[in-house]
Amino acid sequence: MKYICLLIVLTSVNVSAHDTLKVLFVYGSKPLVKGESRSFGGIHGGHVSLKYKTAFASFVHEGKLHLFPKKKALHSKFIVEKDRDFREDTSISRYVIISIPINDMQSKILDSILTQRLKNPSYDYAFLGFRCASSAYEVLSSAGIFKHYSYSRIKFKFFYPKRLRKYLLREAKKNQWPLFWRSGIKSRKWEKD
């Protein structure tokens, strides 16, 4: 009986959520009226950011966009986006924020991984390689929040933000995670789920 009680206590410590991870998805779009700017990736573009301390961390390309990933001369970096420096103007964009409960250990590991990636990204940003969605999933799986896959499977499975967004929205529905959604301005055609 002692061992069963100890097992129950240890299990509840590992499963209990003490923190919330926020994943921000900005939807892809294209202009409907003259004067609206084009966005990177158009209707199938968009962006994914992970909550990091008091801001959001994102994987972006720097310099020339590679078609295939390079092992040397990486054209990638992780950046921190906050307040007025935010990459996408969320006051006009369609977006959803998915709040995922995580435990203290996952929170510490996630923080450590993002801190390290901000100093030194471990892979190149490439059209047929890691981009914002696949990178976000790789970071989350490395932190033990989601199932771990090989790099090649992650790059294919989460090729662009909509694939990761649909996966997390299904998980949010199943697990009753809170969502915050904004519709975006009407002068743009927005990507649908």
Side-chain angles (χ1 to χ4, degrees):
M1 187 64 170
K2 245 190 314 190
Y3 295 111
I4 293 172
C5 290
L6 180 61
L7 182 63
I8 291 170
V9 168
L10 289 175
T11 305
S12 66
V13 168
N14 285 337
V15 174
S16 65
H18 296 286
D19 204 352
T20 302
L21 163 66
K22 293 185 185 292
V23 182
L24 169 70
F25 289 93
V26 176
Y27 285 67
S29 67
K30 67 179 186 179
L32 289 174
V33 296
K34 271 192 167 194
E36 283 283 331
S37 62
R38 300 180 70 84
S39 61
F40 183 70
I43 198 77
H44 297 294
H47 191 61
V48 183
S49 299
L50 304 174
K51 183 75 172 173
Y52 175 71
K53 299 187 179 181
T54 60
F56 283 90
S58 298
F59 183 64
V60 297
H61 74 279
E62 180 177 52
K64 182 182 174 190
L65 178 63
H66 292 144
L67 179 59
F68 297 101
K70 309 282 186 202
K71 292 192 179 192
K72 296 181 179 177
L74 302 182
H75 287 182
S76 63
K77 65 180 178 177
F78 280 82
I79 60 171
V80 174
E81 306 165 310
K82 54 179 141 179
D83 301 333
R84 66 180 180 273
D85 298 328
F86 203 71
R87 184 174 191 275
E88 298 286 345
D89 184 358
T90 53
S91 66
I92 63 169
S93 295
R94 173 178 286 185
Y95 68 89
V96 64
I97 297 174
I98 302 172
S99 298
I100 303 170
I102 59 175
N103 63 42
D104 288 337
M105 183 61 73
Q106 291 169 325
S107 181
K108 287 176 185 166
I109 294 170
L110 180 63
D111 183 66
S112 175
I113 291 168
L114 286 172
T115 300
Q116 181 58 39
R117 299 288 166 76
L118 284 162
K119 292 177 190 169
N120 184 24
S122 49
Y123 35 75
D124 192 22
Y125 188 107
F127 182 75
L128 296 173
F130 276 104
R131 299 190 306 184
C132 65
S134 51
S135 176
Y137 187 87
E138 185 276 324
V139 167
L140 296 174
S141 67
S142 294
I145 298 167
F146 291 106
K147 184 177 178 178
H148 180 73
Y149 297 112
S150 69
Y151 273 14
S152 57
R153 183 151 183 214
I154 290 171
K155 290 184 275 188
F156 176 74
K157 189 172 176 72
F158 303 110
F159 185 66
Y160 57 96
K162 183 176 182 177
R163 287 186 169 187
L164 180 58
R165 187 176 65 242
K166 288 184 79 150
Y167 170 75
L168 290 184
L169 286 172
R170 280 193 306 271
E171 290 295 308
K173 184 176 183 180
K174 183 170 72 175
N175 295 298
Q176 298 180 345
W177 295 336
L179 302 174
F180 179 79
W181 189 78
R182 179 164 296 180
S183 60
I185 59 173
K186 295 188 186 314
S187 59
R188 300 190 73 80
K189 179 178 181 177
W190 295 99
E191 179 181 33
K192 300 202 184 313
D193 287 315

